[in-house]
Amino acid sequence: MADFDPEKFEDKYANYFNELQKAYKNAFNRLNDQYDSELIHAIDQQILNESEPFYEGDGEFRVELPENPAERVQGIVVKDEKVEEMLDIYVEEIETELRRVFGFES
């Protein structure tokens, strides 16, 4: 766990790259084991690659997604509603992992 500094998080990729990578990887691994791995891979590579984590304060994080995320998923046949549902679960898992990696949750 890193000693978290909210001011340093403003330049998160310079200061917390390894921690961010770990949080995203942990979320990916957990969901890949529980859900449709093809959809998880598509979301990871086609949506979350352009996501942006933000620290909201009080130990809370928010992951901002690119515009029209469901429309970005290509190469697999899946309804937008299913993509959106899985994306909500995935983002929640990433936010949980960010709290865990930065020591706000055990």
Side-chain angles (χ1 to χ4, degrees):
M1 173 187 82
D3 287 332
F4 185 76
D5 180 339
E7 289 182 23
K8 284 185 175 181
F9 200 78
E10 291 179 23
D11 193 9
K12 59 190 150 270
Y13 299 112
N15 296 312
Y16 293 118
F17 182 78
N18 291 334
E19 292 84 352
L20 293 169
Q21 200 172 36
K22 181 177 181 177
Y24 273 72
K25 183 178 180 183
N26 288 350
F28 174 84
N29 288 338
R30 184 167 293 110
L31 295 179
N32 194 46
D33 288 342
Q34 295 178 8
Y35 297 96
D36 177 359
S37 64
E38 189 175 37
L39 179 55
I40 296 300
H41 279 268
I43 289 171
D44 183 65
Q45 296 297 310
Q46 298 172 22
I47 299 173
L48 294 176
N49 65 336
E50 294 187 32
S51 68
E52 187 78 24
F54 292 93
Y55 181 65
E56 297 289 292
D58 295 325
E60 293 300 317
F61 293 85
R62 170 181 55 88
V63 174
E64 189 173 288
L65 301 173
E67 286 188 34
N68 306 312
E71 294 174 12
R72 294 172 165 268
V73 175
Q74 299 176 8
I76 63 172
V77 178
V78 63
K79 292 182 179 181
D80 284 356
E81 297 81 24
K82 182 65 176 171
V83 172
E84 291 166 5
E85 175 187 333
M86 193 70 251
L87 187 55
D88 287 344
I89 293 168
Y90 206 148
V91 167
E92 187 176 315
E93 190 66 30
I94 291 169
E95 291 168 351
T96 298
E97 283 299 324
L98 287 167
R99 288 189 302 273
R100 188 173 295 130
V101 166
F102 288 109
F104 294 106
E105 252 180 44
S106 51

